[in-house]
């Protein structure tokens, strides 16, 4: 387990998966149950935290509403301090720590402070959310590959080249795309993707609050508004959405019929 017993400070960067604790890896479970201190993000499901020992200290370091850069530095400092004190430290993140989770930045900061890091991969929402409604992110009948992209950029960061993605033929799996959905749909249409391209949204996948809708690219923004879809949600755009559970696809067709006849 964490190398503290042999003297060198160490942090385990652990992926908690999308929600359902049965989707944790065995290694994640072992690290959680051995942890003395856990630094946890907003998105980690309460059922996962319930697996910790009662005496484990849980430090909630979610960033909702805060000043992002200061807080990230604060998280680094906290991890370094706890690891140097000899505690078994777990840094727990939703999904996979290296997919839109700032895991890379945290590893860099820890290594720079001379602290060893172990990365325990988790099941990322971009794969698990579509799968929960029957959508494979790749399927050789529909798409030769998949692109995982973020809809949300901080100022000064590059946006994905949506028009190039529109031409790529890849399944597009968009994280953090709710607030920018209208703009990214417009870019994808401008890049030549047909308005009829199937699209799906899956919110709070593998949690008790899961919701989903199947629609088309052209109708995506209206669907998000009509269904009042809230974060966290994954958008999936591409022909693979055809493989969604039959009941959901049927429901989507009926809604479109209602809309067009209204
Ligand atoms: N490291 C995480 C992603 C963090 S970014 C992972 O690998 O899954 C946060 C975004 O992830 C959210 O805005 C949403 O797009 C997505 N997300 C995280 N958990 C989710 C869930 N249970 N259902 C749907 N989307 C989720």
């Amino acid at each position: 387990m964490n190398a503290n017993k042999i003297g060198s400070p160490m942090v385990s960067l652990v992926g908690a998966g999308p929600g359902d604790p049965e989707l944790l890896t065995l290694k994640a479970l072992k690290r959680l149950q051995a942890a003395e201190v856990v630094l946890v993000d907003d998105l980690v499901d309460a059922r996962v935290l319930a697996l910790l020992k009662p005496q484990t200290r849980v430090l909630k370091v979610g960033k909702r509403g805060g000043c992002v850069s200061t807080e990230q530095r604060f998280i680094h400092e906290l991890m370094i301090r706890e690891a140097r004190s000899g505690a078994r430290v777990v840094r727990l993140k939703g999904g996979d720590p290296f997919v839109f989770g700032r895991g890379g930045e945290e590893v860099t900061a820890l290594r720079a402070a001379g602290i060893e890091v172990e990365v325990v991969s988790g099941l990322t929402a971009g794969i698990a959310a579509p799968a929960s409604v029957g959508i494979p992110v790749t399927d050789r009948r529909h798409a030769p590959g998949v692109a995982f992209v973020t809809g949300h950029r901080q100022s000064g960061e590059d946006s994905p080249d949506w028009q190039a993605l529109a031409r790529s033929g890849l399944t597009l799996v968009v994280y953090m795309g709710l607030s920018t959905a209208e703009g990214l749909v417009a870019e994808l249409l401008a890049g030549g993707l047909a308005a009829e391209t199937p699209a799906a949204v899956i919110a709070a996948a593998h949690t008790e609050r899961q919701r989903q809708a199947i629609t088309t690219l052209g109708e995506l923004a209206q669907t998000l508004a009509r269904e009042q879809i809230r974060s966290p949600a994954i958008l999936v755009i591409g022909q693979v959405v055809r493989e969604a559970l039959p009941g959901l696809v049927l429901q989507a067709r009926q809604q479109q019929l209602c809309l067009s006849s209204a």
Side-chain angles (χ1 to χ4, degrees), residues 14-18 41 43-45 92-99 101 123-125:
V14 176
D41 281 343
L43 276 178
V44 175
D45 198 284
L92 185 63
K93 290 174 167 289
D96 183 277
F98 275 180
V99 181
L123 185 49
T124 189

Side-chain angles (χ1 to χ4, degrees), residues 76-95:
H76 297 168
E77 282 166 13
L78 201 56
M79 282 193 293
I80 293 165
R81 200 185 326 140
E82 293 290 350
R84 283 187 179 149
S85 79
R88 291 182 164 177
V89 182
V90 166
R91 172 69 173 117
L92 185 63
K93 290 174 167 289

Side-chain angles (χ1 to χ4, degrees), residues 233-252:
I234 288 286
L235 307 176
V236 187
I237 299 156
Q239 298 301 330
V240 290
V241 172
R242 291 181 186 285
E243 302 303 322
L245 299 173
L248 288 174
V249 178
L250 197 63
Q251 201 186 343

